[in-house]
Amino acid sequence: MTTNNGVHVSVLGLGAMGGALAGALVKAGYATTVWNRSPGKADDLVAQGAKAAATAGDAVRSSRLVIACLLDHASVHEVLDPLSDELAGRTLVNVTTTSPAQSRELAAWAAQAGTAYLDGGIMAVPHMIGLPAASILYSGSAEVFGENKPLLDLWGTSTYFGEDAGLASLYDFALLAGMYVMFAGFMHGAAMVAPAGVTAGEFAARATPWLTAMTSGFEGFAEVIDGGDYTVEGQQSLRFSDLSHLLAASSDQGISTELLATVQRLIQRQIEAGHGEEGFARIIESIRQPG
């Protein structure tokens, strides 16, 4: 296989995401060694030109650059703790889903092992890897990010957030929080119209342009939040944002009100604190200070 600039890279973990990352490296001509705990996952990659390692240790010893895409934080330690001596002097890019605290702990562990460390949060699903829509957030070693950016860019748009190894994960989790709540809101709406004979597909056709248009409001909310003045004119007040009518309509349709009730509680807490005439963005204060 023709190697890319003589760079050798090892990928630990060949689940759907790890396999996609390794596949992109092989396709780009990188000398790629792959390892997976369960056998058979490497067969397709080997057929494309990758080299399969019998053990994680063999994979680490094969390359100066090691990519970890494992199940979770515990799995990273389970696989790499016995190899800390082998990792000394090497570079570890961890794209396993870990919390900010876990990412910082792994960075400290890597430093103790003498390993350069970069943490990554993947904002994509496996089939998006290598496409313009894919984005991967990084934090940790600036040197590692700079030296390996051409390789990292094979997977998607690479963005670096600084030396704090937990920042990429923090952004990742914060963005996912917004995504899941949005998805849940869509599903609430789909459940709401279903008793009227409206399919989820029909509702999606209406919801997609509406919700897309509503995201343009993020910047306005952000300006108010960053400015700290929830009395700025032009905002929809908390009293006007009361969701009682939506809760009643949901109940009338025979569906759960749990999702909307959560937002209503955030609104109500600020109203009860005397802020009913202030803007909807003020519910961030209910989120910042849990009741």
Side-chain angles (χ1 to χ4, degrees), residues 221 224-225 228-231 235-239 241 263 265-289:
F221 284 136
V224 170
I225 292 166
D229 184 1
Y230 302 107
T231 66
Q235 299 182 68
Q236 179 171 298
S237 74
L238 285 163
R239 291 194 192 281
S241 301
V263 181
R265 284 194 294 272
L266 298 176
I267 294 170
Q268 194 60 35
R269 280 171 50 202
Q270 293 305 311
I271 292 175
E272 291 172 356
H275 304 293
E277 301 309 315
E278 297 181 31
F280 180 78
R282 191 178 180 94
I283 69 166
I284 195 172
E285 300 300 336
S286 293
I287 297 168
R288 285 171 168 165
Q289 301 175 10

Side-chain angles (χ1 to χ4, degrees), residues 195-259:
V198 180
T199 68
E202 290 170 327
F203 181 68
R206 297 283 184 182
T208 298
W210 164 251
L211 293 176
T212 299
M214 289 302 97
T215 61
S216 65
F218 290 169
E219 291 184 1
F221 284 136
E223 186 176 349
V224 170
I225 292 166
D226 289 341
D229 184 1
Y230 302 107
T231 66
V232 175
E233 290 186 10
Q235 299 182 68
Q236 179 171 298
S237 74
L238 285 163
R239 291 194 192 281
F240 187 82
S241 301
D242 179 271
L243 304 184
S244 297
H245 55 302
L246 292 180
L247 289 163
S250 297
S251 294
D252 289 345
Q253 292 298 90
I255 69 169
S256 169
T257 60
E258 291 173 275
L259 182 65

Side-chain angles (χ1 to χ4, degrees), residues 13-50:
L14 300 177
M17 184 59 75
L21 299 177
L25 296 177
V26 174
K27 183 178 180 180
Y30 283 90
T32 307
T33 299
V34 295
W35 172 85
N36 194 70
R37 189 189 310 273
S38 56
K41 287 287 186 73
D43 293 350
D44 287 344
L45 290 165
V46 170
Q48 296 170 43

Side-chain angles (χ1 to χ4, degrees), residues 146-212:
E147 288 180 354
N148 295 284
K149 193 172 187 300
L151 181 153
L152 301 176
D153 284 343
L154 290 173
W155 297 331
T157 302
S158 303
T159 306
Y160 179 69
F161 288 92
E163 294 280 347
D164 178 353
L167 272 179
S169 175
L170 183 61
Y171 267 95
D172 181 12
F173 279 29
L175 289 167
L176 288 174
M179 180 194 76
Y180 279 113
V181 174
M182 179 184 69
F183 284 173
F186 163 75
M187 292 174 192
H188 181 97
M192 198 171 178
V193 298
V198 180
T199 68
E202 290 170 327
F203 181 68
R206 297 283 184 182
T208 298
W210 164 251
L211 293 176
T212 299

Side-chain angles (χ1 to χ4, degrees), residues 103-123:
S103 296
R104 293 179 182 117
E105 185 277 329
L106 284 168
W109 175 88
Q112 189 171 13
T115 306
Y117 184 84
L118 186 68
D119 200 86
I122 302 176
M123 305 304 298

